[in-house]
Amino acid sequence: MSSAATSFHSSLRFSVQKLPSSSCSDQQMSLLSTKPKSILQKNPLYQPTHKNISLQFKEKILCLEIMGVDSGKALSQNPCLHTASLHAIHSIITFLQSKGLHQKDFARIFGMCPRILTSDIRSELNPVFNFLSKDLRVPEHDFRRVINKCPRLLVCSVKDQLKPALFYLQRLGFTDFHHLAYQDPILLVSSVENTLIPKLNYLTSLGFSSTEAVQMTLRCPGLFTFSIQNNFKPKFDYFSQQMKGQLDDLKEFPQYFAFSLDKRIKPRHIQLVQSGVSIPLSFMLKTTDEEFNELIRQQIRYTKL
């Protein structure tokens, strides 16, 4: 990055609010004059004929790009950014920094959820941090860790999404708030009606009881994040038809669904079939290649005794 870009990057962090929205510093003008085309052409509203595109719009695009955010993608996914002022964007950045987030976090966070950049601090962002603190008991110094784990938390309504999801998960038996906050916060941004309940219903459709299905999700929360059509169905079909597995095996080891069908499950099952041996499902999938091969050798020696 040029010295001018570095200087402007610093100004974004400490003193953008001092710059009039209708003016641009000499350093910004230097950047705008040297690389306007490559940056502006990423913008969905920009056309080569738009020679008189406003300076404020150029500043906005430059601000996003310097933070590491794809301005074209961000403006496309969040149309409200078209009219948002630099001052409003900077207010969001300043607020998030006050909650412990770092400048280096913003490229990923805003890249994944550009809607954050036009959120209302008082009615949308602040309630999320209050939820983390009061409902999940996350200390302030750990806000950054949780948000980086799941940036979508910042674009979810506490009243309509986060609290209902937490209440439902608690009813199922998810009582470890520490694990929920730090390891599985994606469950909190998942729709109860459209995501969580359908996954449980699918498990019961396979033959598990409601209690067994819930216990499986408690042992492997990732089950709530897997696609029924792209994950559950092909893996269960292979398990039942090719591996001739029993439901009890999956009940004991629901993590089966977390492994790749083509890269892990099929190759290892084929190797076991070719070797003429059988080992528990968990050993088949959890072990390293070296451990897996050693288990096969041990089983072969044992059968020869």
Side-chain angles (χ1 to χ4, degrees):
M1 183 181 291
S2 68
S3 59
T6 302
S7 179
F8 181 53
H9 185 276
S10 178
S11 75
L12 279 174
R13 186 173 183 178
F14 299 109
S15 61
V16 166
Q17 71 272 27
K18 299 179 181 179
L19 296 175
S21 60
S22 59
S23 66
C24 191
S25 69
D26 291 340
Q27 293 161 343
Q28 288 172 269
M29 286 300 295
S30 173
L31 276 173
L32 290 171
S33 63
T34 55
K35 297 202 298 182
K37 204 166 187 182
S38 61
I39 293 178
L40 291 177
Q41 283 180 340
K42 293 182 180 181
N43 188 278
L45 292 185
Y46 175 77
Q47 298 294 332
T49 56
H50 291 176
K51 296 180 180 180
N52 296 321
I53 189 170
S54 72
L55 181 58
Q56 187 180 61
F57 196 66
K58 292 179 181 179
E59 287 180 313
K60 190 186 306 180
I61 295 172
L62 184 60
C63 170
L64 295 172
E65 293 289 337
I66 287 180
M67 284 193 295
V69 179
D70 184 326
S71 61
K73 181 180 178 181
L75 284 155
S76 176
Q77 293 183 352
N78 182 8
C80 292
L81 270 173
H82 298 160
T83 55
S85 67
L86 268 177
H87 176 74
I89 293 174
H90 179 70
S91 295
I92 299 292
I93 294 171
T94 301
F95 173 77
L96 293 178
Q97 287 176 326
S98 75
K99 295 299 183 181
L101 276 81
H102 297 175
Q103 187 81 21
K104 62 183 179 182
D105 302 327
F106 294 145
R108 178 174 176 273
I109 291 174
F110 296 148
M112 290 180 64
C113 303
R115 185 156 67 89
I116 298 170
L117 288 163
T118 56
S119 296
D120 184 277
I121 293 175
R122 183 187 65 81
S123 64
E124 296 177 317
L125 295 181
N126 207 45
V128 172
F129 288 100
N130 288 337
F131 171 80
L132 294 179
S133 176
K134 296 177 181 179
D135 293 87
L136 287 184
R137 305 164 196 165
V138 176
E140 189 171 342
H141 63 79
D142 273 347
F143 284 164
R144 177 177 180 243
R145 178 180 169 187
V146 176
I147 295 302
N148 275 317
K149 180 73 174 179
C150 184
R152 286 173 54 196
L153 285 165
L154 293 177
V155 293
C156 285
S157 165
V158 172
K159 177 183 177 182
D160 300 328
Q161 172 60 48
L162 299 182
K163 284 195 173 183
L166 178 60
F167 178 68
Y168 179 74
L169 292 168
Q170 284 180 286
R171 286 177 56 199
L172 292 181
F174 285 82
T175 56
D176 187 344
F177 287 1
H178 184 276
H179 191 88
L180 193 58
Y182 297 102
Q183 300 298 323
D184 300 303
I186 191 172
L187 300 185
L188 296 168
V189 303
S190 301
S191 168
V192 173
E193 294 79 11
N194 299 323
T195 300
L196 303 182
I197 292 177
K199 302 299 172 60
L200 282 178
N201 288 342
Y202 178 77
L203 290 175
T204 57
S205 76
L206 299 180
F208 297 105
S209 69
S210 296
T211 299
E212 290 171 339
V214 169
Q215 289 301 315
M216 289 171 68
T217 62
L218 291 174
R219 294 186 63 179
C220 182
L223 294 178
F224 277 129
T225 68
F226 301 149
S227 164
I228 291 177
Q229 291 301 318
N230 299 327
N231 187 305
F232 279 119
K233 193 173 186 311
K235 290 179 183 178
F236 183 76
D237 287 346
Y238 187 82
F239 175 80
S240 60
Q241 297 172 16
Q242 303 299 321
M243 297 174 64
K244 308 299 181 184
Q246 303 298 313
L247 289 182
D248 283 346
D249 296 327
L250 293 179
K251 186 169 62 176
E252 292 299 318
F253 189 65
Q255 294 89 340
Y256 165 83
F257 292 104
F259 291 90
S260 168
L261 180 59
D262 293 326
K263 296 181 180 180
R264 191 76 156 193
I265 297 172
K266 284 184 179 181
R268 291 204 169 181
H269 172 246
I270 291 172
Q271 190 172 346
L272 286 174
V273 172
Q274 292 174 341
S275 302
V277 299
S278 176
I279 61 176
L281 189 62
S282 60
F283 290 149
M284 167 186 160
L285 297 175
K286 287 174 62 176
T287 53
T288 65
D289 289 341
E290 182 178 349
E291 292 169 339
F292 178 68
N293 290 326
E294 178 59 27
L295 282 172
I296 291 178
R297 287 193 290 270
Q298 289 177 2
Q299 285 295 95
I300 291 176
R301 286 198 297 269
Y302 178 78
T303 57
K304 291 180 177 180
L305 292 179

